[in-house]
Every structure is written in structure tokens, then in C-alpha cells.
Amino acid sequence: MGSRGCLWTTLPRRAQRRVLGGGCAAGRVQGGGDPRRSWVARGPGRGGISGLGAGALTSTVLSPDARASHGTRMTAPEALAHQYGGKPWKHFPGDVGPAGRSGKYYFYDNYFDLPGALLCARVVDSLTKQNNGQKTFDFWKDIVAGIQHNYKMSAFKENCGIYFPEIKRDPGRYLHTCPESVKRWLRQLKRAGKVLLLITSSHSDYCRLLCEHILGNDFTDLFDIVITNALKPGFFSHLPSQRPFWTLENDEEQEALPSLEKPGWYSQGNAVHLYELLKKMTGRNEPKVVYFGDSMHSDIFPARHYSNWETVLILEELRGDRDGKPEESEPLEKKGKYEGPKAKPLNTLSKKWGSFFIDSVSGLENTEDSLVYTWSCKRISTYSTIAIPSIEAIAELPLDYKFSRFSSSNSKTAGYYPKPPLILSNNETLTTK
């Protein structure tokens, strides 16, 4: 079970933009970036949409679905076709696999990462204005320096940067406690004999802070195995790229293990050794693993593609429908029997970037516009078993509840629970781009 998307909502959007964007901007100076350039991620409060790639050399923010911006200025379809030849950007993969990481671009595929896209866009705006239409840029190394300064393994203990000190100072400002219904669901799973795992790329000290605030000081009782610093998606790698598991003492890695022999709390590791332990714990030759996560790049694709696990995508866009209204209108409150603070639905239709699920491709040379499933939408139905808005949405269902799942024989909306997005329900006959 991946951590962030499943059990807690980390950083409400406004606070997230301030801490993540501001942390990277300040960190690039504190961590060795150019002190002459100070950038702050500020701008529209709504309208960001996950699934964007930022070109590291041309500083163009790209969607895999034929939309782009230079900085915060959207690129006209004609200019985009001229620059990229009317074809998908060559560095994005085709129909197989999600976008990864490379020296050519960085892929922002979830809402935790997304403030970085706005920060980069604002940097491009600033540099373009200062340098009379500059076309290529080298600021990415400064962004990386800021990220490393804020999120290096020792940052939490050293209390450096902006991100960790702010979270440690007032975690209640940024974290929602886990609903009782979800805690009951986890306990119910354990009583039913299921092995529960918590796998996160966060380091152990940060994970402990979050879990104690969200789940309580006894959170380790809920899980048989806790794996921190998992370095996903590398956690799912096969030989020769497998990392060993490490024992931990006082949040410091101590000893590399040739194999995983017993439950406990470990660092790094790999899915192959974990699966061998699951065989021992369950007494089965092929135990079935159901993996929950909110990142297609780090969670869902590698768990399905490399480990053949069942995958449940936590898709925040399913938290509410806005009937296709543009981003300026106020979202409706989340509906349903939920405990704790009410969360507002996220935008699934951005005025600039279109819908997360369906996009309109502008026609050129007297051709009509066409509606297509987006690149992200196709990957949801290809690599997810089901997609849900949150763990809370399924916590009170019977453990033997039969979900309708995505498959090649079903429609592209079959696996959405409790129901597909309205925009997909109204466009069942569209083709995938």
C-alpha cells in the first residue's frame, strides 16, 4: 500500500503551493543555487491539472495531449504544430508505459508535485522578460538544488530548508487526521488474516511524524511491514537493479540484508524480496497483492507492469463532478457519508489544459476539432484494476464486495468507483488518442 494517497491528505492545496513552491524557491539559494535570482511560485489558486511535463531545455510546459505553454502563456495550436510537427513530443512514450524521468523533461503526475510546474513556469516568465525573449534556459539545475536542499535524507533531522521545519512546527495545519472508518477497515483486514504493508518513499523520521499525527501513536500496530525510503518506482525493479533492504536504528540505515526474512520496519528494498516474504507469511506460492497508490509513475504502473500486482489508483479527480463547468466556478462540497472535515472536489476541467479525462484537439487546415480520451485517462484504464476517490469511499463496504474492474473486454469507465466521471459517462464512444 503506497502511503500518501491512501491514508492521508497531505497539505491542503493553498498551503501545499506555499510550502512546496516556496521551499524550492528558497532552497535553491540556501542549497547553492544562484542567489541573484529569487523566484516564488504564486499565481492562480485553481486550474492546475496533473499529468504535465516540463521540458528542461526549452522550458515549455507540455501536456501529452497536444497542449503546451511557454512559462504561463499558452501556446496556440498553430504554433505548437509548427514547433513539434503536429506529432506527440518525441520524449513522451507512446501507448506503452507512462512518462518517466530524463534529462529532457520532468513529468508532474500528481498534486504533490504540481506546485513545481507553476514554479518553473514563473521562472520562465521572469527570465523571458529579463532577457528579451530568451528561448533556452539552464535554471533546472537550480530547481534540483532547491529540491535536494529541502528533501535530502538528513533534512528532517537537521531541520533545514522550509518544508520539514514548517510541517514539524504545526502538522495540524497541513494534515487531516485519518477517519475512524478507515482505521476500522484496516483493523478489519488484519482480523481477516490479510498482511498489511505500508510502502513509502518518505524517510522513516518523516513517515513517523505523519503517521503518528494521522493514525495515532500506535499506527505500527496496523501494519505487519513498514518500508520507508522505498525509492519508488525503483522499488519494483528486477535484477540487476534491485536494492537490498536495510535495517534501521534511530532512523539510520544500519545493515544491508541479502533477503527479507521476517516482518518489521525496513528501509529501501525491492518488490521481489518482499514477495518472497509474503509467500512465507501467507503459506501460498502465489499470494495476491492489492497495491493502493496515487501516482501512476511511482505506484500504479510499476506495481502492475513489473510485479503484476492488482492496483487501486487513488484518483482525487473522482471526489466530485462539476458538470463540465470551467475552473472559475466554486466547487461543490464533497458528497457522501464522510467523517471529519469536508474536502472540496478538485478540478477535472481546466480552462487552460482541458479535462483530465477527455480533451478537444483543435483542427487545423479546415479540419474539425475532435474529442479524444487523454493520455492520462488511457493509462488509468490500462494499468489500474479500479480507481477510487479515497480509501474512505470504500472503507465501509464488505470485504468481499465485488468491484467492476478495468479490462480490455470492458468499457473504459468500468473500473471507476463509485461511478465514472460525468464527462466520461457522456462520451462512451470516444476513441483513445
Side-chain angles (χ1 to χ4, degrees):
M1 174 181 291
S3 56
R4 174 164 45 85
C6 302
L7 299 180
W8 57 77
T9 302
T10 311
L11 294 172
R13 302 300 166 217
R14 186 176 301 169
Q16 181 191 65
R17 288 192 302 274
R18 182 172 66 82
V19 176
L20 295 180
C24 287
R28 50 176 302 285
V29 176
Q30 299 171 9
D34 187 344
R36 296 170 296 178
R37 298 184 296 193
S38 180
W39 303 310
V40 179
R42 61 183 184 274
R46 292 199 292 268
I49 194 161
S50 57
L52 302 177
L57 301 179
T58 62
S59 299
T60 299
V61 180
L62 293 160
S63 162
D65 304 296
R67 296 192 187 216
S69 74
H70 184 76
T72 60
R73 295 184 60 184
M74 296 304 293
T75 304
E78 294 78 11
L80 187 62
H82 175 74
Q83 184 171 356
Y84 294 99
K87 300 177 181 179
W89 194 39
K90 64 181 180 180
H91 299 296
F92 279 116
D95 290 340
V96 179
R101 307 285 194 253
S102 81
K104 301 294 184 181
Y105 67 89
Y106 184 90
F107 187 65
Y108 294 95
D109 78 326
N110 60 65
Y111 282 90
F112 189 83
D113 284 347
L114 199 55
L118 176 58
L119 175 62
C120 288
R122 292 289 178 180
V123 171
V124 173
D125 287 347
S126 176
L127 293 180
T128 301
K129 183 178 180 179
Q130 293 175 23
N131 298 290
N132 300 318
Q134 182 176 346
K135 297 297 184 182
T136 60
F137 303 86
D138 63 353
F139 68 84
W140 183 247
K141 64 181 183 296
D142 296 322
I143 299 293
V144 172
I147 293 172
Q148 291 175 341
H149 178 68
N150 276 276
Y151 304 109
K152 61 184 178 181
M153 191 169 184
S154 61
F156 186 94
K157 182 177 291 186
E158 295 172 359
N159 211 40
C160 69
I162 287 180
Y163 182 82
F164 289 126
E166 180 70 10
I167 302 300
K168 291 162 71 174
R169 183 184 65 82
D170 188 7
R173 183 179 182 183
Y174 302 103
L175 306 172
H176 294 309
T177 57
C178 184
E180 286 299 322
S181 61
V182 175
K183 294 180 186 179
R184 288 194 300 269
W185 179 73
L186 292 171
R187 296 187 188 103
Q188 186 180 9
L189 286 169
K190 288 205 74 172
R191 287 195 299 270
K194 310 301 181 185
V195 177
L196 267 62
L197 319 170
L198 177 63
I199 305 174
T200 176
S201 291
S202 296
H203 298 302
S204 56
D205 45 14
Y206 178 48
C207 174
R208 183 177 292 103
L209 171 74
L210 294 179
C211 288
E212 287 181 350
H213 182 88
I214 292 158
L215 292 167
N217 292 335
D218 60 347
F219 77 93
T220 54
D221 295 340
L222 296 172
F223 302 99
D224 299 282
I225 302 170
V226 176
I227 300 169
T228 51
N229 195 27
L231 302 173
K232 298 178 293 180
F235 180 82
F236 297 96
S237 297
H238 290 202
L239 288 173
S241 302
Q242 290 175 354
R243 300 183 183 94
F245 281 96
W246 287 76
T247 59
L248 284 167
E249 184 176 333
N250 297 323
D251 297 315
E252 297 285 346
E253 295 179 348
Q254 299 295 315
E255 178 185 0
L257 302 174
S259 62
L260 199 59
E261 299 296 333
K262 61 182 180 179
W265 188 320
Y266 300 95
S267 183
Q268 298 195 45
N270 62 84
V272 175
H273 288 175
L274 172 61
Y275 195 68
E276 291 301 313
L277 175 60
L278 294 178
K279 290 180 182 180
K280 296 177 183 179
M281 294 178 67
T282 61
R284 298 182 178 181
N285 292 328
E286 296 183 354
K288 179 175 289 188
V289 180
V290 181
Y291 182 86
F292 292 72
D294 70 341
S295 169
M296 181 60 68
H297 168 75
S298 298
D299 295 316
I300 303 303
F301 170 75
R304 169 61 64 83
H305 184 73
Y306 295 111
S307 298
N308 198 32
W309 292 354
E310 301 285 2
T311 52
V312 179
L313 174 63
I314 309 296
L315 187 61
E316 295 174 276
E317 284 80 3
L318 294 179
R319 288 185 180 177
D321 260 320
R322 301 180 60 185
D323 300 326
K325 296 178 182 179
E327 58 203 27
E328 285 84 354
S329 60
E330 188 66 19
L332 300 173
E333 289 294 325
K334 184 169 64 174
K335 297 180 180 180
K337 186 180 179 182
Y338 291 103
E339 305 167 64
K342 295 286 186 180
K344 292 182 179 179
L346 296 171
N347 304 325
T348 56
L349 180 61
S350 165
K351 188 175 182 180
K352 288 186 176 182
W353 298 102
S355 167
F356 184 78
F357 302 102
I358 289 176
D359 199 13
S360 173
V361 178
S362 299
L364 299 174
E365 299 179 359
N366 299 320
T367 61
E368 295 183 356
D369 292 1
S370 58
L371 290 175
V372 295
Y373 290 115
T374 62
W375 185 86
S376 297
C377 184
K378 181 181 179 183
R379 273 137 191 84
I380 292 171
S381 60
T382 301
Y383 299 112
S384 308
T385 304
I386 62 172
I388 62 177
S390 65
I391 292 290
E392 198 176 352
I394 66 169
E396 296 185 354
L397 295 174
L399 293 185
D400 60 355
Y401 182 87
K402 296 293 191 288
F403 290 91
S404 176
R405 58 188 291 156
F406 293 116
S407 71
S408 58
S409 60
N410 287 338
S411 73
K412 291 189 178 296
T413 63
Y416 291 104
Y417 179 88
K419 60 182 180 180
L422 183 62
I423 195 169
L424 287 183
S425 301
N426 294 338
N427 294 278
E428 274 280 358
T429 59
L430 291 182
T431 57
T432 303
K433 186 176 177 181

